[in-house]
Amino acid sequence: MAITAAHTARAPRIRLGMVGGGRGAFIGAVHRIASRIDDQYELVAGAFSSDPERSAASAADLGVARSYGSYAEMAQKEARRKDGIEAVAIVTPNHMHAPVALEFLKRGIHVICDKPLTATLPEAKKLAKAAEASGVVFALTHNYTGYPMIRQAKAMVAAGDLGEIRLVQVEYAQDWLAHEVEGSKQADWRTDPARSGAGGATGDIGTHAFNLANFVSGLTLSELAADLQAFVPGRRVDDNAHVLMRYSSGARGMLWCSQVASGQENGLRLRIYGTKAGIEWEQENPNYLWVTPFGAPRYRLTRGGAGSGEAAARVTRVPPGHPEGYLEGFANIYAEAGRAIIARRDGSALDTAVSFPGLKEGLEGVAFVDACVRSSHKNGAWTKLAV
């Protein structure tokens, strides 16, 4: 199987702006690295902080020429420039996703937004309508869908290799919030419902697990029963959740997400079982996909190795045995969104193989969190998603 680099034919780099992601921010640096891996984007402007001086300092650190003290100023001024930004990366806390995105959408600027789509379901629905009306490219960085062996798994499910899907098991376990964290910018906003939304672990990592299960299985969740906990005293959002899931196809699933699972680092794991076979994948060993056919021995597919198909190959950069993971997964989302943006710029047809999470996935994710919170408040009653 040939290894194909995830890049487009040479085109002028996409002029990118960024909102958030300044000094002390973790995810901003990840987005910047991801945007540059395939050399499709050039970061030319930013509102890196709501404080103009801090924004300017961050711009100077990054060598970015144009700095703004607010996202509104950035949207207005960049839209007027002939060399203004074509796309904006939004890397703020959740409660700012909707207002920032709306400001750029109404000016026809493409949006690449960190997940979840918004902090609340009404905001998500409003944003989705605005984005659809604007006609711009809207990408949501559920980066795990960019991993090659996840693309392989999705292709196998779609091809019927697993048969009819019966069971979906997904979990995402961490321990970094097992105790109160003092002085952490990341912990501070993630445990504040005014900024994170009503879901804590469910919104932060549960949405990743939910999205991954949907992406690979191709199933649609109809209702769930959730038990949410805040184990750390005084915490105002959940830090652990157990969720039973019923899919419209009749399949059943379970989702566990936790940020208080002592000893766990980034334990995202997916298992899907059909009438013909089952598959298993874990994020901490992302280059391997385990397959167990019914009545036959278990075997392993490797990224770029024998037996892996075109869906995995088109987002693979290096030969097997050289680990690819978190940053490359993010880069694949940026690369796929970049292909869509360049196609819009050029008025050309978009390759049908291009795939990245967007408004549909964003709405589903926020609806998932909303349903989990409502279900847990009703002592785990079965609750339909209000998409």
Side-chain angles (χ1 to χ4, degrees):
M1 174 61 63
I3 307 300
T4 57
H7 61 67
T8 61
R10 171 49 54 209
R13 292 188 184 96
I14 298 163
R15 299 184 299 277
L16 181 68
M18 180 170 282
V19 177
R23 287 180 174 179
F26 160 70
I27 203 66
V30 171
H31 279 254
R32 289 190 290 271
I33 293 168
S35 73
R36 290 293 292 152
I37 283 179
D38 295 306
D39 204 26
Q40 279 184 288
Y41 299 83
E42 181 180 4
L43 184 61
V44 298
F48 300 106
S49 169
S50 57
D51 180 300
E53 291 185 3
R54 291 184 63 187
S55 182
S58 293
D61 291 344
L62 298 168
V64 174
R66 300 193 295 275
S67 168
Y68 298 93
S70 76
Y71 65 86
E73 178 192 11
M74 177 174 159
Q76 292 164 8
K77 291 187 176 178
E78 287 295 314
R80 296 190 193 115
R81 297 179 64 106
K82 288 185 177 180
D83 63 347
I85 62 171
E86 299 170 85
V88 63
I90 302 173
V91 293
T92 64
N94 303 346
H95 73 297
M96 292 302 297
H97 290 180
V100 174
L102 288 168
E103 198 70 33
F104 288 89
L105 288 174
K106 67 185 181 183
R107 292 173 172 84
I109 294 171
H110 305 293
V111 174
I112 302 171
C113 185
D114 204 52
K115 61 80 217 164
L117 183 61
T118 60
T120 70
L121 189 54
E123 283 181 329
K125 291 180 177 180
K126 178 181 177 181
L127 179 56
K129 286 182 180 179
E132 289 167 357
S134 72
V136 304
V137 173
F138 195 107
L140 195 68
T141 53
H142 275 299
N143 57 299
Y144 299 110
T145 65
Y147 282 51
M149 297 316 288
I150 286 297
R151 298 294 179 98
Q152 172 72 24
K154 179 180 177 65
M156 291 175 68
V157 171
D161 294 353
L162 274 64
E164 181 184 350
I165 302 303
R166 289 173 169 170
L167 303 171
V168 176
Q169 307 281 313
V170 64
E171 64 183 59
Y172 199 156
Q174 302 174 334
D175 72 355
W176 74 288
L177 291 177
H179 301 279
E180 194 63 48
V181 181
E182 299 290 341
S184 167
K185 181 177 180 180
Q186 302 304 317
D188 185 47
W189 77 258
R190 282 178 168 83
T191 56
D192 176 6
R195 289 180 285 173
S196 68
T202 50
D204 192 23
I205 58 175
T207 49
H208 270 313
F210 173 68
N211 173 261
L212 190 69
N214 285 2
F215 181 78
V216 175
S217 72
L219 300 178
T220 299
L221 186 65
S222 58
E223 58 182 348
L224 57 78
D227 182 23
L228 276 53
Q229 305 82 34
F231 279 110
V232 174
R235 186 161 286 164
R236 293 175 291 164
V237 294
D238 62 90
D239 50 29
N240 186 86
H242 296 86
V243 186
L244 295 175
M245 302 186 293
R246 291 174 177 168
Y247 293 95
S248 57
S249 66
R252 295 293 188 265
M254 291 195 300
L255 182 152
W256 170 48
C257 64
S258 182
Q259 292 176 313
V260 297
S262 297
Q264 290 292 318
E265 294 178 345
N266 204 60
L268 175 58
R269 300 176 181 88
L270 175 68
R271 301 187 298 277
I272 298 179
Y273 303 98
T275 52
K276 294 181 181 178
I279 54 174
E280 303 174 45
W281 178 86
E282 59 180 41
Q283 191 276 151
E284 291 177 344
N285 291 288
N287 292 306
Y288 306 128
L289 177 68
W290 289 95
V291 184
T292 308
F294 178 71
R298 186 174 185 245
Y299 65 90
R300 188 183 76 177
L301 295 175
T302 63
R303 181 199 51 76
S308 63
E310 179 56 32
R314 68 178 299 277
V315 292
T316 293
R317 292 176 175 77
V318 296
H322 299 78
E324 285 188 359
Y326 185 73
L327 293 173
E328 292 87 353
F330 254 104
N332 284 334
I333 303 302
Y334 266 87
E336 297 281 66
R339 293 182 175 100
I341 291 169
I342 290 169
R344 295 287 181 89
R345 177 206 281 168
D346 298 344
S348 57
L350 182 63
D351 184 346
T352 56
V354 170
S355 172
F356 56 89
L359 295 168
K360 176 180 179 292
E361 292 79 9
L363 268 173
E364 289 173 344
V366 179
F368 166 77
V369 176
D370 170 77
C372 284
V373 172
R374 288 188 290 118
S375 172
S376 191
H377 284 166
K378 294 183 289 186
N379 199 30
W382 284 101
T383 304
K384 292 189 178 297
L385 274 66
V387 178

